[in-house]
Amino acid sequence: MENENNKLLVLEAGKYIGNEVSQSSFAGIITSDIYYEAGIISDWHCHQNPHFSHILNGGSVEIRQNEKNRQQQGTSLYYYPGIIHQNIGYIKGTRIFNLEFTEDFLTKYDLNVPDESCMFSHGIQWGTSGLVKIMGEHYLDDQQSILAMEQLSILLLTCTTTIKCMGPAWIFRIKDFLYDHWNIPLSLSYISEEMNLHPVTISRYFPQYFGCTIGDYLRRIKIEKALPMIRSKKQSLTEIAFNCGFADQAHFIKTYKRFMGITPSQYQRM
């Protein structure tokens, strides 16, 4: 698909529509902090390489084929190479962190590009915590950052492909179920009844496909729900903790740091 003027922009490695604040490139991994002017409208475009984006501030409306979605701060996105889209209505002060992988990196570690369907999946919880950790290393930028980003990138990519390529059909149903019921108390027996699966089946295979227990998966969803609230700075950490179902602020901060590698206050200052 192209726009009315048959103009399609193919963005090569490390190139984005906005203005570069900072960028790092090594061993086939490109990390970029990009700033966008208010109200700009991009050409219809696609990206040469697969990449993940985390919206730090602002956002825009993204158009893909016949769909329009508001991309808001605190959310994470995945872009499969070659998928055409357009962004309009950037909010003033929009900043986006991007993590891009070239063919050199994928070949070196024998990694697959996450499937195109991941662009349209319900939530991107499997990538947010790893992406924020990599973002933290980008800004820390010490002698260990390159090593850390390589390892975290491999974990991020292998997690997405494992769930897509190896999982049975019920893992997609249970993923959606947990996203839809993240803010109510859940028991294994209740989940089993709703999924029409034996509790032993879920207990045995859930960690294999998701890399964690159901309890930790729900904690990650709660952390993901907290991200836009943290970035907006309209609520205190105590209020955010309560709204996301944590016992108190201390529990929220401890859980956040365990999954994200940084504290909520550090994330807020980025």
Side-chain angles (χ1 to χ4, degrees), residues 147-206:
L147 174 61
M149 281 195 275
E150 282 188 301
Q151 181 183 8
L152 290 166
S153 294
I154 291 172
L155 290 173
L156 175 64
L157 291 169
T158 53
C159 178
T160 61
T161 54
T162 296
I163 292 177
K164 173 63 185 175
C165 300
M166 299 177 60
W170 64 262
I171 70 167
F172 301 101
R173 291 193 293 114
I174 198 171
K175 177 176 181 287
D176 287 341
F177 176 82
L178 294 176
Y179 259 94
D180 292 338
H181 299 81
W182 68 274
N183 57 346
I184 63 172
L186 294 174
S187 66
L188 181 59
S189 59
Y190 179 69
I191 296 172
S192 300
E193 289 175 5
E194 292 294 312
M195 295 293 100
N196 194 27
L197 289 168
H198 197 283
V200 172
T201 299
I202 296 176
S203 299
R204 179 179 297 172
Y205 293 107
F206 188 93

Side-chain angles (χ1 to χ4, degrees), residues 107-122:
T107 301
K108 180 179 180 180
Y109 294 107
D110 193 24
L111 298 169
N112 294 318
V113 175
D115 193 83
E116 178 182 341
S117 63
C118 293
M119 282 189 72
F120 311 99
S121 65
H122 176 52

Side-chain angles (χ1 to χ4, degrees), residues 21-24 31-35 54-57 95-98 131-142 145 149 231 262 266-267 269-270:
V21 176
S22 63
Q23 187 173 89
S24 175
T31 56
S32 307
D33 184 346
I34 306 295
Y35 174 82
H54 185 74
I55 304 174
L56 283 165
N57 296 319
R95 273 180 59 215
I96 301 177
F97 174 79
N98 297 291
L131 188 54
V132 171
K133 288 179 181 178
I134 293 168
M135 184 170 63
E137 293 292 344
H138 169 86
Y139 295 119
L140 181 60
D141 192 25
D142 66 10
S145 290
M149 281 195 275
R231 293 302 304 182
I262 55 176
Q266 288 174 317
Y267 173 68
R269 292 194 296 268
M270 286 181 174

